[in-house]
Amino acid sequence: MNRIEIVDGAGFSCAEGDTLLRAGLRAGLGLPYECNAGGCGTCKVELIEGAVESRWPEAPGLSDRDRRKGRVLACQSLPTGDCRLRLRLDPACIPEIRPERRKARLTGMADITRDIREFRFAAEGPARFRPGQYAMLSLPDGTERAYSLSNIANADGASHFQIRRVPDGRMTERLFDAAPTEIMLDGPYGLAHLQPGARDVVCIAGGSGLAPMVSIARGIAADPADARRVHFFHGGRTSADLPGEGWARTLTGLGDRLAYHAAVSDESVPGLAQGFVHEVLAAWMGDRFDNYDYYCAGPPPMIQALETLLVATKGLPAGRVRFDRFF
Ligand SMILES: Cc1cc2nc3c(=O)[nH]c(=O)nc-3n(C[C@H](O)[C@H](O)[C@H](O)COP(=O)(O)OP(=O)(O)OC[C@H]3O[C@@H](n4cnc5c(N)ncnc54)[C@H](O)[C@@H]3O)c2cc1C
Ligand code: FES
């Protein structure tokens, strides 16, 4: 166990094999982060004393300049002894549910589209997380990636994921070709989760960004006090990438309170809007942008286009638009 001190702030203990970020969050501290996967750079900290090993030295979240200045990514850093860090804690990052590592067993799988499959796992004890959060999944060989939960918190310990197969992807090829009967789950993580609100909700999923949007829609459906309607925009390259309206209505449990809007970018299909999902959203929305709160999940270029549309162009305040970037 290593002791980590934050200059002008709190301290916490970091267990063998744990990263600075996760140990800090497990201790209930608001360490800034987003992806937990080395991609975004939000978790950069300055290492004042001590040493760390990086799980991924080439992680794109850190520039050469950062490295020269002694900065490290807290999400990739395994301390090799006691450390002192300089960082600014953010109250918004204090975890409502502290993340935990647990073994989970595979209980089922089902194909959703030609390359998205739902993987169902169960662990001992209740599954506690907010709709829209994610967990880190590790295979027995130590390969680990972030995946959003598609179900909602439950007493049975069930955690469901909707995962897109990436050609030659280190994690997904193994999951799809020979899913292990047991994995390690670490979570929950993520700040782009469902919030209470008075406005109807727009969920925008691109590609593999389906799971957290399904979870958010399910979270609304499961709360008897929540009467919000959901507009579910789902973008794919072709119609084979989209599971369809009936699937979304049934799975989320929202019935007629869910309106499904499909967008295909590479194909012309009668009855389906053609274009990128942010273009289809803009065409449908007209001048009604202010009527909704927004949740968006998918690859970084899609999120960038949505951020430009919703925040930069339409001027929606950051608190009404939540982005989940899948690095
Ligand atoms: C918050 C979050 C939620 C996500 N939710 C989902 C989801 O619900 N469904 C889904 O299909 N995908 C999701 N992803 C994407 C997912 O984590 C993987 O990137 C994707 O499945 C491809 O993994 P792969 O190993 O098969 O592909 P690869 O191409 O082998 O790896 C892809 C990613 O892994 C990371 N990586 C590469 N090398 C290393 C390394 N040496 N050490 C550590 N990391 C490395 C990089 O971020 C890279 O982009 C999410 C990503 C994030 C950040
Ligand atoms: S949280 Fe560490 S790089 Fe994104």
Side-chain angles (χ1 to χ4, degrees):
M1 197 68 92
N2 295 308
R3 185 71 195 157
I4 314 299
E5 299 292 340
I6 300 173
V7 176
D8 300 333
F12 59 94
S13 299
C14 185
E16 186 80 10
D18 217 359
T19 63
L20 291 174
L21 174 66
R22 295 189 212 179
L25 296 173
R26 287 188 222 287
L29 297 177
L31 270 70
Y33 78 107
E34 183 187 327
C35 71
N36 213 340
C40 71
T42 313
C43 67
K44 263 179 239 175
V45 299
E46 205 177 322
L47 186 61
I48 309 285
E49 278 173 37
V52 298
E53 271 171 18
S54 177
R55 292 172 56 131
W56 187 16
E58 309 80 29
L62 205 61
S63 66
D64 290 341
R65 186 162 178 270
D66 289 326
R67 290 185 176 90
R68 282 198 302 276
K69 292 204 151 203
R71 294 181 188 133
V72 298
L73 292 176
C75 74
Q76 300 301 316
S77 295
L78 306 168
T80 54
D82 294 349
C83 290
R84 259 180 111 223
L85 311 176
R86 194 189 312 277
L87 69 108
R88 187 166 300 173
L89 292 171
D90 180 352
C93 296
I94 294 174
E96 287 176 33
I97 303 165
R98 295 192 190 185
E100 285 175 1
R101 277 170 71 80
R102 296 199 289 173
K103 275 191 189 146
R105 64 182 196 290
L106 185 69
T107 57
M109 291 185 280
D111 284 338
I112 295 174
T113 67
R114 58 181 168 180
D115 61 1
I116 298 182
R117 182 175 293 172
E118 181 160 279
F119 293 85
R120 300 177 164 211
F121 295 96
E124 291 295 317
R128 298 178 63 233
F129 58 91
R130 303 286 312 275
Q133 287 197 291
Y134 64 89
M136 308 303 294
L137 265 64
S138 324
L139 299 180
D141 71 359
T143 306
E144 185 184 66
R145 298 286 186 261
Y147 291 104
S148 303
L149 291 130
S150 61
N151 60 334
I152 53 173
N154 60 89
D156 307 324
S159 293
H160 299 174
F161 303 90
Q162 294 170 350
I163 299 179
R164 191 168 77 86
R165 182 181 199 133
V166 173
D168 299 323
R170 186 156 170 217
M171 179 87 175
T172 51
E173 292 267 287
R174 283 172 222 200
L175 274 175
F176 277 72
D177 291 342
T181 52
E182 195 171 84
I183 52 141
M184 193 61 87
L185 270 183
D186 185 2
Y189 294 102
L191 306 165
H193 52 74
L194 179 62
Q195 301 288 336
R199 295 178 190 83
D200 284 345
V201 163
V202 173
C203 289
I204 308 157
S208 56
L210 203 52
M213 298 300 102
V214 167
S215 177
I216 281 170
R218 280 174 154 172
I220 292 172
D223 180 354
D226 196 335
R228 288 179 286 181
R229 293 176 57 80
V230 173
H231 284 277
F232 198 107
F233 285 80
H234 189 196
R237 286 193 303 277
T238 72
S239 52
D241 296 321
L242 308 173
E245 179 157 10
W247 177 87
R249 279 178 195 256
T250 310
L251 189 76
T252 59
L254 275 167
D256 289 346
R257 277 165 64 203
L258 182 132
Y260 184 81
H261 309 261
V264 286
S265 57
D266 295 4
E267 195 184 38
S268 175
V269 184
L272 283 189
Q274 192 179 2
F276 291 113
V277 71
H278 67 282
E279 298 166 340
V280 171
L281 172 77
W284 179 83
M285 198 59 84
D287 58 3
R288 292 170 296 155
F289 277 93
D290 199 36
N291 296 356
Y292 301 94
D293 290 333
Y294 297 81
Y295 296 86
C296 318
M302 179 200 103
I303 298 295
Q304 182 59 57
L306 285 165
E307 201 169 356
T308 303
L309 172 69
L310 298 171
V311 181
T313 310
K314 297 298 170 187
L316 289 164
R320 286 184 45 201
V321 192
R322 298 200 165 241
F323 298 109
D324 202 356
R325 294 186 284 172
F326 286 10
F327 287 94

